[in-house]
Amino acid sequence: LYFFFLMIRRPPRSTQSRSSAASDVYKRQDNDLRIRITDVGQSRWEVPNQFPYPHEQSPISVSNPLYNVQVSAQPFGIAVTRTSTNEVVFNSSGFNFIYSDYYIEFGSTLATKYVYGLGERSRSLLLENGTYTIFARDYMADVDDGTGGHNLYGQHPILLTREASGAWHTLFFRSSNPMDVSVLTTSSPFSNKFQVVGGIIDLKIFFSTTGPEEAISRYHAYVGGWITMPFWGFGYHQCRWGYRNISTLQQIASKFSENGIPLDVLWNDLDYMQNQTDFTVDQDNFPTAQLSSFLQQYELKYVPLVDAGVAVMNNTYYHEGIKRDVFLKNSSGFPLTGWVWPGKTHFVDYLHPNASEYWADMLALLKNQIDFSGIWIDMNEPSSFCPGECTYDEVIGFHGDPSDPTSFDQFVDYFNKVIDENPEQNEFSQLIPYIPGNFTNLDIQTISMNASHYGNITNFNLHSLYGFHNGKATHDYLKDRLGQPQPFIISRSSAFGSGQFVSHWTGDNIATWEFLRLSIPGIMNFGLFGIPFTGADICGFGMDAEPQLCARWAALGSFYPFSRNHNQIGRVDQEPYALGPDVLAAFKSNLKLRYSLLKFYYSLFVRQGGVGTIFRPLFFVFPNETILLQQPIVDEQFMLGDELLVTPVLYENATSVNAYFPNDNAWYDLVTGKLVRSAKNNIRQACIQAPLNGTVPIFLRGGFIVATQDVTDVTRTHQLSNSFNLVAAVQPVDKKGISYGATGQLAAADDYNDWQRLRKCFEANCIVNFEVEAVQTQNGFSVILKTTKRDSQTQADTLSLKGVRVYGLPGFKPAEKVVLKTQKETLTLNTLEIATFSKYTVDITFPSSLELIDGMTVEVNFTGAVMLENTSKSKKKHIRTEAKNWVAQ
């Protein structure tokens, strides 16, 4: 621990010219460091170091730190270097250092130009030269060009950086205050600059020894990790602003069934409410009993919208809020008034000791009227249609109909005019010498920064944590009141640590090819931020979707972690069956493929243990390939775990896509088994044909196994059986090319929808390992399958195996006979009874399903099936070495 005082210079407009500050540098662990600079002379706002906020959860334990720290007082500077390479990862020396009441500025060197993070925004994953504003803001379809002021709904001040040596670290600025972060990467030396209004300097640096996944996982652990949504949440979701009655929902469900399209969840936007008012239900159009009966009939889950603002109306919800004194206060001590969809609104102050109980009670009243399975929380930045506080009679007197697009546009134009003509004047617009984002003030389309939270904490400091608190209160209701072990909540606003309670969608996008492309880095960013179950509105929320775009979006969106189609009222219908045969075929084929892989996809979340990424940039799996760090590959291809590579079509009129295949692995078309890139081929790009109505180009990495299921008659997640087929892409494991292998994993729970069966996967673990070996023998050829528990703590249910498809085998002549050996029996069979052969592929279907138990070995001997290809030139290492983290030790 380093501790010292330093003198701070203040910029103009500060009330004092000089002050003292204290700097603490904590070596917390061998791989993490904390730098904290506070004001000695006065108490300042800082994010509390306790649950539910990010906080230190383990005692200081330093024996062999990965870093060195040097502190200089005159001039002030802190330099952090990586011990093993002596490379500077942070150095504030030589940059302006300003620490005043309402303005902080500091800078640092950057190790390289490969920098990622700083959310929330819509743009490329790589942060190119520019200024990036961080402050939760409601704004539709804004693309960040690096000029500042294009911030969106969340507060995520983290930077993931690649060092020149190839090592990685994550820097987290533990601040809820508004800020601009400038990234300077056009020429060396690379650097960044933080300009923050309010708060303190509190930095955490997490060092990795293995790659970006470790650097991010350490950050996730610090902010509380993330929860895994219930299995039904991984199914397909259909939503729209404009589903105005139960008859509409019934028609939608019926058409999905008629067309055999998978569907697990229906959603409602504002339409189910009375006068767009929270906690109310329009019983004329959504009668409680009829809705419950309909959902049961179609075996569907239901998720309604709940906005952040509570309507100022003569009803129980408002009166209870006043009675319990739970609303945010204005500078006069009265409930602050905003304006959202129902008109005048107040906003819950979640710091108030009565607030969580109030929110839970109101949601309970809603639950009594409508049978929901999860909750969608929106407008929780919080958003308000007038700046600061609604005090203008002419604004409150405007009664446009937001359900009518023309009227809604007039509605927005009118408020913008009022904002321009009545700039908000408040304490903070006078005190802060700098406004991040080049805004005229911070109150645009949100409530006043002057608003007061319980404990006399100003909204200026807490604004960007509002969605975080709203999410936690909603999570607590579903978990504690309803007893849901895995609450399903999708929140628009988020902050560091929100992943403990909620998941996310990327907000109000539009139906353009640009936003189709931006959805990939948008979802990958939330993997960095610690909210991996994220999706974008498939086919676009705003504007009219055209068929070609929607078909391509169906292919991509079917592999988002959170897969939901949602669009705006007044736009064309864009349900899977609404835009023609190609769109229908694209949705159906891709959703069927998703559902066939769904338990594998869910297993990716289970095996991560609440930290790390799933929908990954390619460089997370192949960190040494520099080409993967930048556009276009970093934004246009992604990995699902370490096993699957997805390369969607993202450009209009394209019928093929150029796919880049990393490393020296072989890659196979997952669906057809076609070898698309040989491990011996130095050419890493290939042109892949991609019909508009076909499945997304998706490839299995050599050396790995995925589990699939038969979904012929499946349209709901609960219809998925406990029976699997394995697809193994084997690679040579010896230099002679007579032995091939692959490994994989799966969550072994016999019912993913039953928490009593699934809970072991989260309280202990339920992961089983698969290993497939294909070996040339003296008399022919053998395929051997082995299963083991991941470790001694694994609690695994028995699974059923129907067959194994093996990709990557050389050609061989047909077998004379086949012998199947298991622990229970030995069978001699005809070849056609158990296997079919094609080039590079053998399909093995067992006469009856095999029970997969720990330590089981299944061997299929093909007598006389001699290999025809000479693969002795292969330089591959043994697959067990390549996938050492997957195989039980």
Side-chain angles (χ1 to χ4, degrees), residues 273-386:
M273 301 177 181
Q274 289 181 346
N275 301 315
Q276 302 162 341
T277 301
D278 272 357
F279 317 121
T280 67
V281 175
D282 178 356
Q283 290 291 341
D284 291 336
N285 289 302
F286 294 91
T288 300
Q290 189 178 347
L291 180 60
S292 295
S293 176
F294 151 68
L295 294 172
Q296 291 175 11
Q297 176 189 352
Y298 281 90
E299 300 180 300
L300 292 170
K301 305 293 185 181
Y302 178 74
V303 175
L305 174 94
V306 178
D307 278 337
V310 177
V312 179
M313 288 184 177
N314 184 19
N315 60 29
T316 299
Y317 323 108
Y318 177 68
H319 291 308
E320 280 297 315
I322 294 295
K323 177 182 176 181
R324 304 187 200 192
D325 192 30
V326 296
F327 295 128
L328 284 170
K329 303 296 193 297
N330 62 18
S331 56
S332 300
F334 297 104
L336 179 139
T337 301
W339 185 279
V340 197
W341 301 115
K344 291 184 182 181
T345 52
H346 294 336
F347 297 86
V348 178
D349 173 10
Y350 291 101
L351 267 59
H352 194 285
N354 297 334
S356 291
E357 185 176 12
Y358 164 79
W359 188 251
D361 287 345
M362 297 307 103
L363 290 175
L365 292 175
L366 176 62
K367 178 69 171 176
N368 290 337
Q369 304 170 77
I370 200 163
D371 188 19
F372 56 76
S373 302
I375 297 176
W376 171 21
I377 48 178
D378 194 12
M379 306 289 284
N380 55 345
E381 293 71 32
S383 179
S384 179
F385 298 152
C386 56

Side-chain angles (χ1 to χ4, degrees), residues 779-824:
N779 297 321
F781 194 79
S782 292
V783 175
I784 303 167
L785 168 68
K786 299 177 182 179
T787 63
T788 56
K789 294 180 179 179
R790 184 165 71 174
D791 55 44
S792 61
Q793 302 301 312
T794 300
Q795 301 175 28
D797 291 336
T798 300
L799 304 178
S800 174
L801 184 64
K802 294 176 66 176
V804 180
R805 170 176 283 191
V806 184
Y807 296 157
L809 295 176
F812 47 84
K813 69 179 183 180
E816 297 169 1
K817 70 174 182 177
V818 179
V819 177
L820 170 64
K821 296 181 179 180
T822 70
Q823 275 96 335
K824 294 183 178 180

Side-chain angles (χ1 to χ4, degrees), residues 231 234 558-559 590-604 640 644 646 670-671 696 698 700 705-711 720 724-725 727 746 752:
F231 186 56
F234 283 70
S558 292
F559 292 90
N590 283 284
L591 287 175
K592 283 288 189 177
L593 181 57
R594 176 188 179 90
Y595 275 61
S596 75
L597 291 164
L598 206 56
K599 290 195 174 182
F600 164 76
Y601 207 155
Y602 197 78
S603 296
L604 296 180
L640 296 178
L644 296 177
V646 183
L670 175 66
V671 177
V696 70
I698 183 169
L700 178 59
I705 300 169
V706 296
T708 69
Q709 295 188 279
D710 182 1
V711 292
L720 289 166
F724 297 86
N725 290 281
V727 182
L746 188 69
Y752 283 30

Side-chain angles (χ1 to χ4, degrees), residues 69-95:
V69 182
Q70 291 184 325
V71 181
S72 58
Q74 297 293 333
F76 170 69
I78 298 176
V80 181
T81 58
R82 182 180 287 270
T83 306
S84 60
T85 62
N86 205 34
E87 185 174 358
V88 176
V89 299
F90 179 90
N91 188 358
S92 65
S93 303
F95 295 88

Side-chain angles (χ1 to χ4, degrees), residues 27-178:
K27 293 183 175 181
R28 293 291 315 178
Q29 304 288 328
D30 284 345
N31 44 35
D32 87 66
L33 169 74
R34 185 177 183 187
I35 300 169
R36 182 172 177 269
I37 302 176
T38 58
D39 196 327
V40 173
Q42 61 182 340
S43 176
R44 301 170 66 103
W45 161 257
E46 59 181 295
V47 177
N49 191 50
Q50 62 189 38
F51 178 82
Y53 311 103
H55 62 285
E56 307 295 349
Q57 300 182 52
S58 57
I60 294 175
S61 177
V62 179
S63 58
N64 186 25
L66 301 178
Y67 51 85
N68 288 315
V69 182
Q70 291 184 325
V71 181
S72 58
Q74 297 293 333
F76 170 69
I78 298 176
V80 181
T81 58
R82 182 180 287 270
T83 306
S84 60
T85 62
N86 205 34
E87 185 174 358
V88 176
V89 299
F90 179 90
N91 188 358
S92 65
S93 303
F95 295 88
N96 284 340
F97 187 81
I98 303 172
Y99 200 109
S100 74
D101 291 340
Y102 293 107
Y103 181 75
I104 293 173
E105 181 181 325
F106 65 98
S108 169
T109 55
L110 285 171
T112 68
K113 65 180 180 181
Y114 299 117
V115 185
Y116 311 86
L118 299 181
E120 181 179 2
R121 64 198 72 258
S122 293
R123 62 157 291 113
S124 169
L125 193 68
L126 178 66
L127 291 169
E128 298 169 311
N129 201 77
T131 296
Y132 303 99
T133 304
I134 301 179
F135 178 70
R137 182 182 73 128
D138 171 14
Y139 202 85
M140 180 176 177
D142 193 7
V143 179
D144 198 326
D145 60 1
T147 57
H150 298 284
N151 45 302
L152 294 175
Y153 316 103
Q155 178 96 359
H156 298 280
I158 74 161
L159 283 170
L160 172 68
T161 304
R162 184 182 191 264
E163 299 160 27
S165 65
W168 292 81
H169 67 268
T170 300
L171 182 146
F172 170 44
F173 185 14
R174 196 173 175 276
S175 173
S176 60
N177 288 81

Side-chain angles (χ1 to χ4, degrees), residues 496-573:
F496 40 82
S498 283
Q500 302 169 89
F501 311 115
V502 303
S503 289
H504 179 66
W505 96 105
T506 58
D508 295 341
N509 61 7
I510 55 176
T512 65
W513 291 91
E514 180 182 29
F515 272 90
L516 169 70
R517 291 187 289 273
L518 286 171
S519 70
I520 297 176
I523 294 169
M524 288 192 292
N525 257 327
F526 272 86
L528 306 187
F529 302 153
I531 311 178
F533 188 78
T534 294
D537 286 343
I538 296 172
C539 298
F541 173 71
M543 299 178 59
D544 290 338
E546 54 86 22
Q548 183 191 162
L549 172 64
C550 198
R552 293 304 188 190
W553 216 320
L556 169 58
S558 292
F559 292 90
Y560 293 160
F562 170 46
S563 182
R564 183 185 74 162
N565 183 328
H566 177 46
N567 70 323
Q568 192 177 33
I569 195 168
R571 303 302 176 187
V572 299
D573 294 344

